[in-house]
Amino acid sequence: MWYGFNVLWFFSAGGPNPEISPEKIKIDENDLDFMAEMGCNFVRVPTDYRYFVHDFDLGFITNPKNGRVKGLNEVSLDRTYYGNYDETYLKLLDRAVEAIVSRGLHCSLNVHRGPGYCINGNEWEKHNLWQDKIAQDAFTELWAHFAERYKKYSKDQLSFDLLNEPPAPGEYGLTREIHKDVMARVAGEIRKISPERTIICDGLCGGHVAAPELSDLNVVMSGRGYMPMRLTHWKAEWMKKSGSFDWEYPQWPGMECDGRKWCREELLDFYKPWKEMADAGNIVHIGECGCYNKVSNETALAWYKDFFSVMNELNFGYALWNFRGPFGIAEHGREGTNWEVKNGIKFDKDLYKLFVEGMKK
């Protein structure tokens, strides 16, 4: 099982017209050393494709022999494509992948913002991944490029998490059938280049809802550990329009929302569809989890204790959304925290202990 963290080195290039520069990307190898020393074996790297393709830069396909792009089957010569990649940023991503795997940690490379879709700021996209062929082609080629670029790494060293948190059926024209078609196409192109590559697909509805229709794709299914959202995302600034600043003050256990009175048993019940997939032979991993830093430390630790216990009972590995930051174990800023400093990293001693106790060796 995988246990670890998300690192946000390539997470977001900002708003609709991002100003990015290589100097802003900080690959913190000291953090990786800390993770390895605490017994972790997994690091997820969410990426924003706009680091690699700027301003919807459409490059013409010019192969005169057969009109193909490496990793794709048939591509017409006159079609435009999000294919003019910036090697400066790709070489930084190369560094990040190597830094992770060289420490014996598994690197999970994730497209958090892909051509035509992101759970945050989707309105900034020029095309629609679920409806527009050009976005689907670009998404497929991006993964074919990664597959070729990183084919030297084994499946134990590197996995591909295709797309962060697809929407709910009905949003942006997505259906379960369209979602499966897009993921199956990408997985197929990856496996033409790296047949053994481990591929991960996130659940629907922001990663929370299981997608058993993907079972025959031979992929790891990635869920989320954020329930109830009114606790874990209380006063989250990016969810202000959803009322996060107006939600009642959270408590654990006993918080009532979403038709449930939340406690450990309700968490177990929430994950029943995921457990059914696991029982059917699918590997399930919780690729993101955590509690934002606005709730009290007592409440956060009580929730974490039950959450990690549930994951342990279900045999699901997990990764906190970040290592260093408001959902993380280091420098999250939650008041009342029992801090400790090790190798220059200020971390939550109590959360550290709960995290490690939850890992199955």
Side-chain angles (χ1 to χ4, degrees):
M1 282 181 282
W2 290 327
Y3 298 97
F5 300 90
N6 287 254
V7 292
L8 309 189
W9 306 328
F10 298 87
F11 160 55
S12 176
N17 298 298
E19 295 182 7
I20 59 178
S21 64
E23 294 75 21
K24 292 183 179 180
I25 297 175
K26 306 296 183 185
I27 299 170
D28 198 326
E29 298 194 28
N30 192 37
D31 288 358
L32 298 177
D33 291 335
F34 188 99
M35 297 175 203
E37 288 177 12
M38 69 183 289
C40 294
N41 59 2
F42 177 88
V43 178
R44 184 172 182 255
V45 184
T47 66
D48 183 332
Y49 80 96
R50 297 175 301 169
Y51 280 107
F52 318 121
V53 181
H54 309 309
D55 301 321
F56 306 104
D57 191 0
L58 303 178
F60 281 92
I61 295 169
T62 57
N63 188 330
K65 293 182 179 180
N66 55 19
R68 295 183 182 178
V69 171
K70 186 179 293 185
L72 293 180
N73 285 334
E74 297 294 334
V75 181
S76 66
L77 289 171
D78 58 354
R79 206 188 55 194
T80 54
Y81 205 75
Y82 292 64
N84 193 4
Y85 300 127
D86 188 329
E87 276 291 315
T88 300
Y89 293 90
L90 286 168
K91 287 177 180 176
L92 286 169
L93 186 61
D94 296 345
R95 274 187 50 207
V97 172
E98 181 60 27
I100 292 167
V101 301
S102 67
R103 287 165 169 78
L105 299 164
H106 179 90
C107 177
S108 180
L109 182 60
N110 164 248
V111 170
H112 187 278
R113 176 179 289 276
Y117 178 73
C118 184
I119 194 169
N120 305 118
N122 187 70
E123 66 276 9
W124 303 334
E125 289 303 308
K126 188 174 183 178
H127 300 106
N128 182 330
L129 178 61
W130 315 113
Q131 295 292 310
D132 297 336
K133 187 174 185 296
I134 189 170
Q136 293 170 5
D137 291 343
F139 182 59
T140 304
E141 168 58 14
L142 180 62
W143 275 115
H145 182 87
F146 285 152
E148 187 68 36
R149 192 176 192 97
Y150 299 120
K151 65 182 180 181
K152 70 177 183 180
Y153 294 107
S154 73
K155 67 176 183 178
D156 294 326
Q157 293 175 311
L158 178 68
S159 60
F160 290 161
D161 183 345
L162 300 187
L163 184 69
N164 183 72
E165 300 178 359
E171 289 188 286
Y172 311 117
L174 176 137
T175 65
R176 286 181 180 265
E177 292 76 16
I178 290 173
H179 176 245
K180 181 175 181 178
D181 287 346
V182 172
M183 297 302 125
R185 179 187 174 190
V186 175
E189 295 300 333
I190 290 170
R191 286 172 174 148
K192 289 176 184 177
I193 301 166
S194 293
E196 301 299 318
R197 179 66 58 211
T198 299
I199 296 174
I200 301 171
C201 287
D202 290 9
L204 299 174
C205 302
H208 289 98
V209 173
E213 63 274 11
L214 303 186
S215 294
D216 60 352
L217 298 185
N218 188 27
V219 296
V220 175
M221 295 304 305
S222 180
R224 293 296 176 265
Y226 291 129
M227 299 304 290
M229 294 282 285
R230 291 193 175 213
L231 186 153
T232 65
H233 285 64
W234 189 68
K235 288 197 173 182
E237 293 82 0
W238 63 96
M239 294 188 65
K240 192 170 185 179
K241 290 183 179 179
S242 300
S244 63
F245 278 69
D246 300 319
W247 295 338
E248 64 180 277
Y249 190 85
Q251 59 176 320
W252 188 267
M255 185 174 185
E256 296 187 40
C257 61
D258 306 315
R260 297 174 183 261
K261 188 172 183 179
W262 288 94
C263 60
R264 185 184 185 281
E265 291 305 311
E266 285 297 323
L267 276 179
L268 269 174
D269 185 71
F270 176 79
Y271 286 104
K272 276 184 178 178
W274 296 91
K275 181 64 165 57
E276 290 171 1
M277 290 193 69
D279 290 343
N282 299 107
I283 298 174
V284 174
H285 182 255
I286 305 303
E288 291 184 20
C289 60
C291 183
Y292 198 49
N293 65 0
K294 296 300 190 292
V295 301
S296 72
N297 192 51
E298 181 181 6
T299 299
L301 291 175
W303 177 85
Y304 274 118
K305 181 178 180 179
D306 282 343
F307 174 76
F308 292 145
S309 172
V310 166
M311 294 298 101
N312 189 291
E313 181 173 335
L314 295 173
N315 293 314
F316 295 170
Y318 50 79
L320 287 188
W321 164 240
N322 49 10
F323 173 76
R324 187 189 296 268
F327 280 94
I329 204 168
E331 301 176 3
H332 56 58
R334 188 177 293 114
E335 293 184 6
T337 297
N338 181 16
W339 296 108
E340 185 173 326
V341 178
K342 180 179 179 181
N343 297 332
I345 296 174
K346 181 181 177 182
F347 68 96
D348 183 332
K349 186 176 180 179
D350 297 322
L351 180 54
Y352 178 105
K353 181 180 178 182
L354 290 174
F355 185 106
V356 172
E357 288 175 346
M359 293 193 293
K360 282 196 171 183
K361 304 302 183 183

